[in-house]
Amino acid sequence: SRYILLSPGGAKILSVVAIGGMYAWFLMKLFLVGNQPGLQLAVGVAALVGMVGSIVMFLCTYSFVANAPDRYLDEREIQDRNAAYMKAYTYAVSMLLVGYIASDVVGKVYSGFEVTPHVVTNYLNLAFFTCLIMPASILAWRDRPGDAEA
């Protein structure tokens, strides 16, 4: 198999680490102004952990189920996959809505806050990496004991 075999518990932990790392990277980077070596290191570590974790999560067996054609899945797996994609779609739309509100409304309410192209790029990276693994992460979290085949 070309996919990384993760236990349900391992996939759950990895999804939290990957998504948490990406959010930590984005939020810490908002406060990165000037020469702050400690914060720069923390931002770099969070980015590395989040992005590598996302790539590994994308290459795990839950991602296979999330992206496999129907002919490779049984009826229950298809239902689980479709439900995961609906939740992932809701997350993606929420990310777009939050991005819009933050860029349009917050900039007008708080006079000292400016949404720069770099912030937008970072937000799009956050959205991309978290949306990329969201279906597989949801499948891992919905996996019930005894579902895995031996």
Side-chain angles (χ1 to χ4, degrees), residues 4 13-14 23 29 38 44 57 68 73 83 86 93 95 115 121 144:
I4 298 168
I13 291 169
L14 181 60
Y23 272 94
K29 196 151 184 188
M57 189 68 195
L73 304 174
M86 283 306 298
V93 169
M95 288 289 291
V115 179
T121 300
R144 296 170 299 279

Side-chain angles (χ1 to χ4, degrees), residues 89-119:
Y89 174 77
T90 302
Y91 171 79
V93 169
S94 299
M95 288 289 291
L96 289 173
L97 183 61
V98 166
Y100 168 73
I101 290 170
S103 66
D104 191 46
V105 176
V106 175
K108 292 176 184 172
V109 173
Y110 297 104
S111 59
F113 183 79
E114 181 183 359
V115 179
T116 65
H118 289 103
V119 172

Side-chain angles (χ1 to χ4, degrees), residues 28-44:
M28 285 189 295
K29 196 151 184 188
L30 288 175
F31 299 102
L32 188 59
V33 189
N35 187 18
Q36 298 170 301
L39 187 56
Q40 288 173 331
L41 178 63
V43 167

Side-chain angles (χ1 to χ4, degrees), residues 10-106:
K12 289 173 186 177
I13 291 169
L14 181 60
S15 70
V16 169
V17 168
I19 293 170
M22 290 305 300
Y23 272 94
W25 163 77
F26 177 75
L27 293 173
M28 285 189 295
K29 196 151 184 188
L30 288 175
F31 299 102
L32 188 59
V33 189
N35 187 18
Q36 298 170 301
L39 187 56
Q40 288 173 331
L41 178 63
V43 167
V45 169
L48 185 64
V49 167
M51 289 180 191
V52 170
S54 294
I55 291 166
V56 173
M57 189 68 195
F58 184 72
L59 296 175
C60 80
T61 50
Y62 288 101
S63 189
F64 169 77
V65 174
N67 297 302
D70 288 354
R71 68 180 176 270
Y72 294 115
L73 304 174
D74 63 32
E75 189 173 316
R76 181 192 53 81
E77 289 172 325
I78 292 170
Q79 289 175 347
D80 288 347
R81 181 207 47 206
N82 291 348
Y85 266 97
M86 283 306 298
K87 288 194 182 299
Y89 174 77
T90 302
Y91 171 79
V93 169
S94 299
M95 288 289 291
L96 289 173
L97 183 61
V98 166
Y100 168 73
I101 290 170
S103 66
D104 191 46
V105 176
V106 175

